[in-house]
Amino acid sequence: MHRRRRTALSVSVALLAAAPLLTACGNEAHPGAAAVVGGQRIEVSALQAQVRDVRDAQRSAPESEQLIKNTGQLNQAKLNSMIFDRVLEKAADNAGVTISRKEIQTTRQQAAAQSGGEKQFAAMLLQQGALAEDQIESAIRREVLLTKLAVALGANTTTPQGQQTVLAELTKTSEQLGIDVNPRYGSWDNKQVRLGEAKTPWITQLTSQAPEQEQPADT
C-alpha cells in the first residue's frame, strides 16, 4: 500500500455546509427521508446514526475539541457520501463491475500496515476523513469500486480526459436515479455528482491511486 492510497482514503468524505437534521423531505412526499435515490430512501435516522458514530469517536480522541470544530458540517458530508455510494454502486453494476470481500480486506490490511497498524490507520481516517471505525470498510469499498469502474471504462484517470470519462458515466447514472434531496441539506448536482457545494473527493481518489490497484489481485 502506497502513501498515495492513504491520502485517497483520508479525503473520501467531503465536509460541507452545515444544516439542521430534518424529519421530512422538502416536498413532504417522503416523511422521515433525508433523500430518495432511485426510489430507495435514505432515512434521517440512518444519517443521524452515521453522524453520531463519528461524534462519539471524536469525543474519545485526544484532540476531540479540534476534531469536532473542524467537522461542523458533518450532516451533509455524510449524506453526500451515502448518496454518492448508491450512484457508484449502480454505475458499477451497469458496467458489470463487481467487488469481493477479499479485495476490501486486502486493501484495508495493506493500508493499515502502511499506516503503522490498524489503530493508527483508524485514528488517521477519523482525523482526516471524519470516519468512525465502522465506516472504514465502506470508504475502502468506495475507493476500490471507483478504481475498478475507471478501469472498466478504459479511463486513464491521471488525465483530465480520463476523469471526465468517469464523471460522465456517474452523471448519467445520477440522472437516471432521479435523486431527491431534502432542500435543507442542499440540492444534488448531477453534473458534478455531489451534494450542493461539496467537494468531489472521488476525483482526488482516482488521481491518487497506486499503480498496482489496477491489477486484479488488488482492485
Side-chain angles (χ1 to χ4, degrees):
M1 174 64 59
H2 289 269
R3 182 178 180 180
R4 286 172 295 177
R5 177 175 286 171
R6 300 208 319 270
T7 301
L9 283 171
S10 71
V11 298
S12 63
V13 178
L15 301 179
L16 317 177
L21 293 173
L22 306 175
T23 57
C25 275
N27 61 9
E28 302 298 331
H30 308 287
V36 179
V37 182
Q40 300 299 311
R41 297 159 59 92
I42 295 177
E43 301 289 351
V44 169
S45 59
L47 175 59
Q48 289 175 325
Q50 287 212 8
V51 172
R52 183 170 58 250
D53 286 347
V54 172
R55 290 296 184 225
D56 288 345
Q58 288 174 331
R59 292 187 186 101
S60 299
E63 66 278 26
S64 59
E65 184 175 346
Q66 190 63 40
L67 288 177
I68 293 172
K69 180 180 179 181
N70 291 343
T71 54
Q73 303 152 351
L74 191 57
N75 293 328
Q76 286 165 303
K78 289 301 174 186
L79 182 57
N80 183 76
S81 293
M82 294 169 83
I83 296 172
F84 180 82
D85 283 348
R86 295 193 181 193
V87 175
L88 176 58
E89 290 282 352
K90 180 61 175 176
D93 184 63
N94 290 343
V97 173
T98 60
I99 184 172
S100 69
R101 174 74 175 168
K102 182 178 179 180
E103 288 174 299
I104 297 172
Q105 291 175 331
T106 298
T107 301
R108 179 167 185 166
Q109 289 167 0
Q110 292 177 337
Q114 185 66 27
S115 301
E118 183 68 32
K119 183 177 181 180
Q120 290 84 346
F121 182 54
M124 181 193 72
L125 293 183
L126 175 63
Q127 181 180 38
Q128 299 180 13
L131 289 171
E133 188 170 350
D134 62 355
Q135 297 167 5
I136 294 175
E137 187 167 305
S138 292
I140 293 173
R141 177 182 177 84
R142 181 185 310 129
E143 179 195 0
V144 176
L145 193 59
L146 185 55
T147 303
K148 293 185 73 173
L149 174 62
V151 172
L153 296 174
N156 178 359
T157 55
T158 63
T159 68
Q161 182 178 4
Q163 293 172 22
Q164 285 301 314
T165 297
V166 178
L167 177 59
E169 185 66 23
L170 291 171
T171 292
K172 180 178 71 174
T173 304
S174 182
E175 291 172 345
Q176 291 173 345
L177 287 173
I179 298 168
D180 177 19
V181 177
N182 187 316
R184 293 192 186 181
Y185 289 109
S187 59
W188 184 255
D189 186 339
N190 286 319
K191 294 187 181 300
Q192 295 299 317
V193 198
R194 67 188 185 189
L195 180 61
E197 295 302 316
K199 299 176 183 178
T200 47
W202 60 269
I203 290 180
T204 304
Q205 287 176 294
L206 286 172
T207 57
S208 302
Q209 302 307 314
E212 75 272 19
Q213 282 184 280
E214 297 187 4
Q215 302 301 319
D218 192 34
T219 58

